[in-house]
């Protein structure tokens, strides 16, 4: 079966590590709206799409040596101009220069890293994510949005005439399963869905469409959001109930872990069954989490089992 996973950030990488162990044919479509940190600097200075999320996904799907993985993820702690840069980001930037463009760079890199499946940016150019806040102000730039401490009404992309990557549209068309998330709702998942041709392809696709809901809220992005609020934001931005299934965690989180997250302004996402039922989605709920040194992650193995069963239905 063919599965397309759409998102960005660490949540996506965790899921892909699980899916990599299955016999599925995987395509990951990754956001190119990041403008902070190492990615933001390379984007501004070299005029390439930001490589950070792509790097994480390539590594998650790679069959390379663990040492090489550590090297790709290594961040310089000092050095004039180097500090804060990740080696993987620099390598992708160099490859983009050698191969002539960003998409070719990722293809070449996938070969070098022995990547299982294909990794595609949603577009072959940088995109700017903007947020219209409930008070009418607009914040431009993915990294600035969570810092404004205001409630997001909707997000949109500039420039408006973004071309989706043809291979990404193609992969969506032929998929048996399309998975959204896990990942930041407004800054990882929606930037992909706002690329005009991508949403059209998803809505028209024959595949089963699954949204993996976040476990915790994100400060400055989804404060106080329940599971149905997450689903509603996706549906509103796309303009139709395009998802078939939502996967929600309903296992409680140990106090120690919850307290640590509360310091960052993050709380467990409440599974509000009644409101969620009103969307008419298939709801899969259960304990879908595990802990990695006090950090909550989706349980990669459990998630793979769930997704496989949805695909077979």
């Amino acid at each position: 079966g063919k599965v397309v996973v759409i998102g960005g950030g660490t949540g996506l990488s965790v899921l892909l590590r699980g899916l990599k162990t299955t016999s599925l044919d995987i395509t990951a479509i990754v956001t190119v709206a990041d403008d902070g940190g190492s990615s933001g600097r390379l984007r501004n200075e070299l005029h390439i799409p930001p490589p950070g999320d792509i790097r994480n996904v390539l590594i998650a799907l790679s069959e390379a040596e663990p040492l090489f993985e550590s090297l790709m993820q290594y961040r310089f702690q000092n050095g004039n101009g180097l500090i804060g840069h990740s080696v993987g980001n620099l390598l992708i930037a160099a490859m983009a220069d050698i191969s002539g463009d960003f998409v070719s760079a990722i293809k070449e890199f996938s070969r070098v890293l022995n990547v299982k499946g294909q990794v595609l940016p949603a577009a072959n150019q940088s995109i700017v994510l903007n947020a219209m806040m409930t008070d009418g102000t607009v914040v431009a730039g993915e990294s600035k949005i969570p810092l404004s401490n205001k409630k997001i009404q909707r997000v949109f992309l500039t420039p408006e005439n973004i071309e989706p990557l043809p291979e990404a549209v193609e992969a969506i068309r032929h998929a048996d399963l399309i998975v959204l998330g896990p990942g930041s709702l407004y800054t990882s998942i929606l930037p992909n869905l706002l690329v005009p041709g991508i949403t059209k392809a998803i809505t028209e696709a024959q595949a089963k469409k699954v949204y993996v809901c976040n476990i915790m809220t994100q400060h400055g992005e989804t404060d106080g959001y329940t599971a149905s609020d997450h689903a509603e934001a996706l549906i509103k931005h796309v303009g139709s109930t395009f998802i078939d299934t939502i996967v929600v965690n309903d296992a409680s989180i140990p106090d120690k872990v919850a307290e640590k997250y509360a310091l960052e302004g993050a709380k467990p996402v409440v599974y509000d069954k009644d409101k969620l039922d009103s969307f008419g989605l298939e709801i899969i709920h259960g304990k879908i989490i595990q802990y990695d040194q006090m950090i909550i992650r989706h349980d990669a193995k459990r998630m793979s089992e769930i997704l496989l069963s949805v695909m077979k239905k």
Side-chain angles (χ1 to χ4, degrees):
K2 295 184 163 132
V3 59
V4 171
V5 189
I6 300 173
T10 9
L12 188 67
S13 300
V14 171
L15 188 70
L16 291 169
R17 280 178 194 273
L19 289 174
K20 182 169 78 169
T21 60
T22 66
S23 59
L24 292 170
D25 175 349
I26 305 166
T27 299
I29 298 175
V30 187
T31 172
V32 275
D34 187 10
D35 63 352
S38 168
S39 279
R41 284 157 63 195
L42 292 169
R43 166 180 176 155
N44 294 336
E45 291 164 23
L46 305 178
H47 308 292
I48 56 165
D53 281 332
I54 300 266
R55 178 196 83 239
N56 281 327
V57 169
L58 282 170
I59 292 168
L61 287 173
S62 131
E63 303 282 352
E65 296 282 330
L67 180 63
F68 194 70
E69 192 175 307
S70 315
L71 178 66
M72 288 278 290
Q73 294 292 32
Y74 177 80
R75 254 177 223 284
F76 289 97
Q77 304 303 321
N78 41 37
N80 199 358
L82 275 176
I83 188 167
H85 271 309
S86 109
V87 171
N89 288 355
L90 296 174
L91 287 174
I92 293 171
M95 190 72 93
D97 208 21
I98 293 169
S99 63
D101 77 306
F102 192 64
V103 175
S104 311
I106 298 167
K107 285 199 179 118
E108 290 300 334
F109 229 89
S110 300
R111 236 173 23 127
V112 172
L113 280 171
N114 199 2
V115 166
K116 189 179 175 204
Q118 58 172 347
V119 178
L120 304 169
N124 200 1
Q125 66 184 90
S126 287
I127 49 191
V128 178
L129 183 68
N130 310 276
M132 162 82 92
M133 300 302 183
T134 46
D135 67 357
T137 55
V138 171
V139 177
E142 190 245 45
S143 60
K144 317 263 187 328
I145 294 169
L147 306 177
S148 71
N149 279 327
K150 292 177 174 176
K151 201 168 159 50
I152 299 170
Q153 187 172 330
R154 65 183 182 92
V155 284
F156 60 96
L157 299 177
T158 47
E160 275 171 19
N161 57 343
I162 299 157
E163 284 291 317
L165 196 68
E167 292 99 316
V169 172
E170 202 56 16
I172 291 166
R173 281 213 182 103
H174 295 123
D176 299 305
L177 181 70
I178 297 169
V179 183
L180 302 174
S184 308
L185 180 61
Y186 289 106
T187 52
S188 284
I189 298 173
L190 278 165
N192 293 301
L193 295 181
L194 295 173
V195 175
I198 299 272
T199 301
K200 187 173 181 291
I202 293 173
T203 22
E204 290 171 1
Q206 298 295 305
K208 274 284 190 64
K209 293 145 209 175
V210 182
Y211 169 53
V212 181
C213 189
N214 290 353
I215 303 156
M216 304 299 285
T217 63
Q218 259 174 302
H219 184 53
E221 204 168 319
T222 52
D223 296 289
Y225 272 44
T226 62
S228 72
D229 291 331
H230 282 77
E232 189 171 17
L234 288 173
I235 291 165
K236 268 196 178 140
H237 279 79
V238 170
S240 67
T241 307
F242 66 106
I243 329 166
D244 304 308
T245 306
I246 181 167
V247 185
V248 192
N249 173 59
D250 66 3
S252 59
I253 283 147
D255 294 346
K256 262 212 179 81
V257 181
E259 279 159 23
K260 179 179 163 280
Y261 274 86
L263 296 173
E264 296 164 22
K267 294 191 168 68
V269 170
V270 176
Y271 164 43
D272 52 342
K273 183 180 182 312
D274 293 352
K275 182 140 186 252
L276 204 49
D277 275 338
S278 69
F279 292 115
L281 306 173
E282 174 196 20
I283 303 168
I284 297 174
H285 57 95
K287 180 182 186 294
I288 54 166
I289 50 178
Q290 56 182 15
Y291 301 97
D292 175 13
Q293 298 164 348
M294 299 282 281
I295 296 170
I296 303 171
R297 296 267 183 244
H298 279 86
D299 181 334
K301 190 167 176 291
R302 181 79 193 97
M303 284 308 307
S304 297
E305 289 163 2
I306 290 172
L307 294 173
L308 278 168
S309 73
V310 169
M311 198 171 86
K312 289 191 179 119
K313 268 178 207 163

